[in-house]
């Protein structure tokens, strides 16, 4: 059942051998573009300028989108690997630096405890569910990524098999933090747990099961410590 | 524990008494803006135009964002109610028509079975997790929204208390469909279940518990059949 998808996923891990200098130059080029579009996402929701101005800006944005679309990748970004083996999951919807829909999360691995990861981040108007609060599903999205990164940081990367999210109280939009850790292991199975906190403490908790698919174990392509980013 | 958040959320339900004609005019104004920015989100990830062109477009985008930001709402959009009682959750990260980070999902209520909802939608490069595939957390986000809408469509709106997502196989980016239904009820508690399907069938399933908080029951502000949108 997993076969064709496995091939599709495997083919999206692209070794382009970009040098660290090239990667740094790409990052310096695309991060400001993503940030400008991120500002536009927020402004599209919140602007109150008059209708003529909205229409004029919209037309200009359509022209600029067409300029960027003149030459583009045939599909999604995938994950690209540079000459030093570092992967770039730059389209990823949570951590992708080229993705304006991503906050983007920057996760930090604990130097002392293998498998512990944390992130400080800000979620604005684009992530709203209940008024002024983060959509519960966005919290699940962030926790899925964090749990996967914990599994990977502990040397046990995998794809999510199942997870449960429990909401303790509403999470306000704004500054938030998340942390995750490995809670249990058994063969190719890894359980990871995590939580998100707002200014008044923990608002949501999650625990999930991560499994490294057979094709990935056989390909050996996910042994990199960065692999968890990619699932 | 819920008190201050309850007040925050309640204050985000804004009755602006816009007439149906005003709402239609607003929609005609803001939908093209959101769609243009949505194109830019995709292009930011996928463009391969040369570096000078990326820089030139970025500068123009920054200027356009500043024009929209000259006058804006102090915070997130919230939910606004027109004169006919219809709510507009236009900033919502899943269904918000002014939110370029939203697909946006358009859910359809089954006319025959109360509480059954469905949606056909397309997820492109901005929603990537594993290469060429939808991020597992985005599927959780969509299902959280769908389950909440099912609860609401059955006359039992609520906020998510907990839910479990089970991944059957990877979900390719592209055309997808989702459906959700009420699976069980007990007092103020409602359990809803749902699934997402790709071209090869069901890829992910979820079940969750939804509870209408006391403040909302007392405010009576969520009795509208559209209320589920807002949690």
């Amino acid at each position: 059942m997993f076969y064709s998808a496995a091939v599709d996923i495997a083919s999206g891990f692209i070794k382009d051998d970009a040098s660290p200098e090239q990667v740094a130059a790409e990052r310096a080029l695309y991060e400001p573009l993503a940030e400008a579009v991120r500002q536009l996402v927020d402004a599209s929701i919140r602007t109150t300028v008059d209708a003529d101005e909205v229409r004029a800006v919209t037309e200009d944005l359509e022209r600029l989108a067409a300029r960027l679309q003149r030459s583009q990748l045939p599909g999604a970004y995938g994950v690209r690997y540079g000459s030093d083996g570092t992967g770039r999951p730059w389209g990823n919807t949570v951590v992708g630096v080229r993705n304006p829909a991503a906050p983007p999360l920057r996760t930090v691995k604990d130097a002392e405890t293998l498998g512990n990861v944390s992130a400080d981040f800000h979620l604005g108007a684009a992530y709203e569910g209940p008024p002024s609060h983060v959509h519960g599903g966005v919290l699940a999205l962030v926790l899925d990524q964090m749990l996967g990164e914990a599994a990977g940081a502990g040397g046990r990367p995998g794809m999510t098999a199942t997870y449960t999210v429990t909401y303790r109280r509403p999470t306000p939009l704004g500054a938030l933090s998340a942390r995750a850790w490995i809670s249990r292991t058994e063969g190719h199975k890894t359980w990871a747990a995590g939580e998100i906190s707002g200014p008044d403490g923990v608002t949501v908790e999650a625990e999930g099961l991560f499994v490294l698919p057979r094709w990935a174990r056989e390909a050996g392509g996910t042994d990199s410590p960065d692999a968890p980013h990619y699932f």
Side-chain angles (χ1 to χ4, degrees), chain A residues 44 62-63 79 81 112 125 136 141 143 163 170 179-180 202 221 223:
Chain A
S44 171
E62 287 167 348
R63 274 190 285 270
V79 181
Y81 288 83
E112 289 175 15
L141 167 60
L143 281 167
Y163 67 107
R179 62 189 200 94
V202 174
D223 284 343

Side-chain angles (χ1 to χ4, degrees), chain A residues 2 20 64-65 86 96 101 109 117 144-145 157 215:
Chain A
F2 266 78
L64 292 166
T86 304
K109 292 174 194 166
V117 296
D144 179 36
Q145 181 74 28
W215 66 266

Side-chain angles (χ1 to χ4, degrees), chain A residues 95 107-109 115 117 144-154 210 228-229:
Chain A
V95 299
T107 57
V108 178
K109 292 174 194 166
V117 296
D144 179 36
Q145 181 74 28
M146 291 293 294
L147 266 51
E149 300 230 8
F210 293 78
H229 285 278

Side-chain angles (χ1 to χ4, degrees), chain A residues 38-219:
Chain A
R38 207 169 280 123
Q39 291 292 320
L40 285 161
V41 169
D42 188 83
S44 171
I45 298 166
R46 297 173 58 207
T47 191
T48 53
V49 299
D50 69 47
D52 285 343
E53 178 73 344
V54 171
R55 276 186 284 265
V57 169
T58 299
E59 281 174 24
D60 284 350
L61 292 173
E62 287 167 348
R63 274 190 285 270
L64 292 166
R67 279 170 62 182
L68 293 176
Q69 290 167 337
R70 221 163 270 161
S71 167
Q72 55 184 359
L73 300 172
Y77 189 85
V79 181
R80 283 145 209 272
Y81 288 83
S83 60
D84 67 357
T86 304
R88 312 195 298 286
W90 284 1
N92 184 290
T93 196
V94 180
V95 299
V97 299
R98 282 186 64 166
N99 189 340
L105 228 66
R106 289 186 183 83
T107 57
V108 178
K109 292 174 194 166
D110 188 291
E112 289 175 15
T113 308
L114 205 69
N116 282 21
V117 296
S118 63
D120 293 319
F121 55 104
H122 183 276
L123 297 180
Y127 303 97
E128 188 176 41
S132 303
H133 287 70
V134 183
H135 194 293
V138 169
L139 300 165
L141 167 60
V142 168
L143 281 167
D144 179 36
Q145 181 74 28
M146 291 293 294
L147 266 51
E149 300 230 8
R156 304 181 60 86
M159 293 184 73
T160 318
T162 180
Y163 67 107
T164 298
V165 184
T166 303
Y167 298 90
R168 298 297 177 199
R169 49 179 150 172
T171 305
L173 291 171
L176 300 168
S177 65
R179 62 189 200 94
W181 57 91
I182 292 175
S183 51
R184 189 157 72 90
T185 65
E186 187 187 306
H188 291 296
K189 295 180 179 176
T190 305
W191 284 263
E195 60 190 24
I196 291 176
S197 298
D200 296 325
V202 174
T203 60
V204 52
E205 298 167 351
E207 181 157 28
L209 166 62
F210 293 78
V211 180
L212 188 60
R214 182 183 298 270
W215 66 266
R217 297 200 297 271
E218 288 171 354

Side-chain angles (χ1 to χ4, degrees), chain A residues 27-38 68 97-98 100:
Chain A
R27 187 185 277 269
L29 182 65
Y30 294 117
E31 271 188 340
L33 171 61
E35 182 53 31
V37 179
R38 207 169 280 123
L68 293 176
V97 299
R98 282 186 64 166

